[in-house]
Amino acid sequence: MTTILQTESTPRGFVEKTALERYVAPAKPSLVGLSRAALAEALGTIGVPATQRKMRVQQLWNWIYIRGVTRFADMSSVSKELRAALEAHFTLDRPEVVAEQVSVDGTRKWLLRLPGEHAAERPHEVECVYIPDAGRATLCVSSQVGCTLTCSFCHTGTQRLVRNLTASEIVGQVMVARDRLGDWPGGTSPEGAIVPTDGGRFVTNVVMMGMGEPLYNFEAVRDALLVVQDGDGIGISKRRITLSTSGVVPNIARAGSEIGTMLAISLHAVNDDLRNELVPLNRKYPIAALLDACRNYPGVSNARRITFEYVMLKGVNDSLDDAKKLVRLLKGIPAKINLIPFNPWPGSRYECSDWEQIEKFSEHIFNAGYSSPVRTPRGRDILAACGQLKSATEKLSARERMALRAMAMTD
Ligand code: SAH
Ligand code: SF4
């Protein structure tokens, strides 16, 4: 049993919470989501000779990620003995789906249950949201149960429970989406499902914008996203994967070189005083340091712009002056700006900006040369009915928020 979440504290002590939960590996771990190296190692533990491992890994990779099998018994090209050994020690489990909601516009949400530290504990739950659009479909994926950070407008930040997801649980969210959509050879999609109709894949894009701060779960997120990118498997290119961070500066360059996906920064304010309040991590990594990390993000260019997320909070950060400062601040950085309507939750101290104000703000940004789409909410009908999935009001707003985030990234 290892504590997998390391938190840093600051002299003022309020930037981050301490993680409370631990991950305890199941007796039979899942092979889904392991890197090729970890898979080879797992095969070693059940006696597969070193000389055969690479070939076996390739075989398993194909069965898991191209065929989508969920039982070792279906791996017909694998010898009977090896299948039996695999069966005895491992599974091909994905996170357990405890509920699914489908919107008339095709948005789907899955509530996933993950094992807790011990049986008596309340199970850990995260959500995963699928947003289909013409010619593309985006999956919004979680990286942690809860979050150690405490952004004042974000409901996840108020949750006490925090645990890092494993790489398997992160890749598992993509697998769940493909399972539920019938996106494997010979699969059938559920009746009426809205999926891209170009004959290609059903999940075309991934955004790490669900629960959690992905750069505080660096290794698992990296390993998972490398599996998702792998051209012999799921094969979603790194240009179609976006990692969103609240600004963990030391890990931004690492993300660029070790993961290589698109980057989104939760900026939300144009001066340090306000950002300290909205995104307390700013006290540790202020705006100037954050923007420096963006300028130096490996691979950044006009073709690979950084997305700046900006949540619209009435009377807080939504003035025309803020818009002007935002444009000035981002000068010289290949950037896109994503305005996100604030999604209120019970007890939140903010309101969403008025629509006219969002339009004014957006217009200024547009005139400065940025596209700044503000999206119509997707999946409204299922958001309204979200109490059916979980009764706690806190969870109710979590799902709404997540859909909004993912929606904001579908341009
Ligand atoms: N922890 C990472 C990724 C998850 S949050 C991050 O903060 O970037 C994904 C996005 O949703 C972030 O831009 C976050 O600021 C935004 N967000 C959080 N709560 C929100 C709310 N109530 N309304 C609108 N956007 C919200
Ligand atoms: Fe964590 Fe992101 Fe929410 Fe901030 S906005 S508390 S970093 S999930």
Side-chain angles (χ1 to χ4, degrees):
M1 194 191 292
T2 48
T3 307
I4 56 164
L5 217 131
Q6 284 175 354
T7 54
E8 302 162 62
S9 56
T10 63
R12 293 166 82 181
F14 42 52
V15 171
E16 293 161 52
K17 306 188 285 268
T18 311
L20 294 175
E21 295 300 316
R22 296 159 201 271
Y23 170 75
V24 182
K28 275 215 270 179
S30 174
L31 294 184
V32 171
L34 296 191
S35 65
R36 284 170 189 268
L39 199 50
E41 208 175 295
L43 291 177
T45 65
I46 58 166
V48 174
T51 50
Q52 282 185 22
R53 283 181 212 156
K54 201 169 166 202
M55 179 271 285
R56 292 292 180 206
V57 165
Q58 192 54 36
Q59 261 183 337
L60 288 178
W61 206 263
N62 192 278
W63 283 111
I64 298 173
Y65 299 114
I66 300 289
R67 314 278 193 106
V69 300
T70 52
R71 301 179 326 161
F72 293 112
D74 293 336
M75 298 183 165
S76 52
S77 64
V78 175
S79 73
K80 248 187 171 161
E81 296 71 40
L82 180 55
R83 274 187 271 161
L86 288 167
E87 183 68 49
H89 296 89
F90 304 109
T91 71
L92 294 169
D93 286 352
R94 294 84 155 99
E96 182 193 354
V97 180
V98 289
E100 174 179 65
Q101 275 193 307
V102 185
S103 161
V104 286
D105 71 12
T107 302
R108 277 169 193 261
K109 287 185 227 152
W110 297 288
L111 175 65
L112 307 175
R113 184 166 294 163
L114 309 172
E117 185 178 348
H118 43 78
E121 184 188 67
R122 208 174 82 180
H124 296 166
E125 286 170 349
V126 292
E127 286 165 1
C128 177
V129 185
Y130 177 74
I131 299 127
D133 220 327
R136 64 186 282 160
T138 303
L139 192 69
C140 179
V141 169
S142 294
S143 58
Q144 299 181 306
V145 176
C147 184
T148 56
L149 300 174
T150 53
C151 303
S152 54
F153 56 89
C154 172
H155 192 254
T156 305
T158 66
Q159 261 176 250
R160 192 187 58 89
L161 268 182
V162 182
R163 130 151 133 69
N164 275 340
L165 265 55
T166 63
S168 181
E169 290 167 337
I170 296 168
V171 176
Q173 295 171 62
V174 181
M175 303 299 272
V176 161
R178 297 191 60 183
D179 291 347
R180 304 296 300 180
L181 295 165
D183 187 22
W184 299 114
T188 40
S189 24
E191 208 179 314
I194 299 178
V195 290
T197 50
D198 56 3
R201 54 188 85 232
F202 288 178
V203 177
T204 61
N205 294 61
V206 168
V207 293
M208 294 301 301
M209 292 191 189
M211 267 185 188
E213 169 47 59
L215 293 189
Y216 272 164
N217 185 12
F218 191 88
E219 282 81 10
V221 167
R222 174 197 60 202
D223 293 354
L225 292 182
L226 293 179
V227 170
V228 171
Q229 287 174 35
D230 190 297
D232 290 333
I234 299 172
I236 298 177
S237 100
K238 59 188 176 188
R239 285 167 168 258
R240 289 177 169 268
I241 303 175
T242 302
L243 186 151
S244 173
T245 178
S246 57
V248 183
V249 167
N251 282 349
I252 289 180
R254 248 189 113 190
S257 58
E258 294 181 38
I259 313 176
T261 57
M262 305 300 279
L263 182 67
I265 301 285
S266 295
L267 189 63
H268 307 318
V270 291
N271 63 69
D272 282 322
D273 279 348
L274 180 59
R275 197 163 188 273
N276 285 347
E277 190 189 314
L278 300 179
V279 185
L281 188 64
N282 194 71
R283 295 186 177 120
K284 206 160 165 184
Y285 308 118
I287 294 177
L290 179 57
L291 295 184
D292 264 350
C294 291
R295 282 187 196 94
N296 297 322
Y297 186 65
V300 69
S301 67
N302 281 335
R304 295 194 62 208
R305 292 167 189 268
I306 294 175
T307 299
F308 288 87
E309 295 158 278
Y310 197 93
V311 64
M312 298 301 293
L313 304 170
K314 186 175 183 167
V316 175
N317 66 353
D318 64 348
S319 71
L320 208 51
D321 200 39
D322 288 310
K324 288 179 186 160
K325 284 193 182 130
L326 180 59
V327 167
R328 248 179 275 141
L329 206 56
L330 299 185
K331 208 163 174 235
I333 305 177
K336 288 192 269 190
I337 299 170
N338 234 302
L339 301 181
I340 313 178
F342 170 62
N343 189 34
W345 36 276
S348 62
R349 60 176 116 135
Y350 304 104
E351 279 177 74
C352 182
S353 307
D354 295 333
W355 196 249
E356 303 84 77
Q357 193 58 30
I358 299 183
E359 280 189 334
K360 268 192 216 153
F361 198 105
S362 151
E363 202 178 284
H364 181 80
I365 287 168
F366 180 79
N367 290 339
Y370 296 97
S371 77
S372 56
V374 189
R375 314 247 146 221
T376 359
R378 297 283 306 271
R380 268 208 162 137
D381 51 340
I382 56 173
L383 300 182
C386 55
Q388 289 165 8
L389 278 189
K390 289 195 217 169
S391 53
T393 48
E394 50 161 9
K395 301 294 168 55
L396 207 145
S397 67
R399 66 189 324 90
E400 295 187 13
R401 188 197 56 242
M402 213 175 309
L404 263 175
R405 290 173 197 175
M407 174 197 85
M409 291 303 298
T410 54
D411 65 339

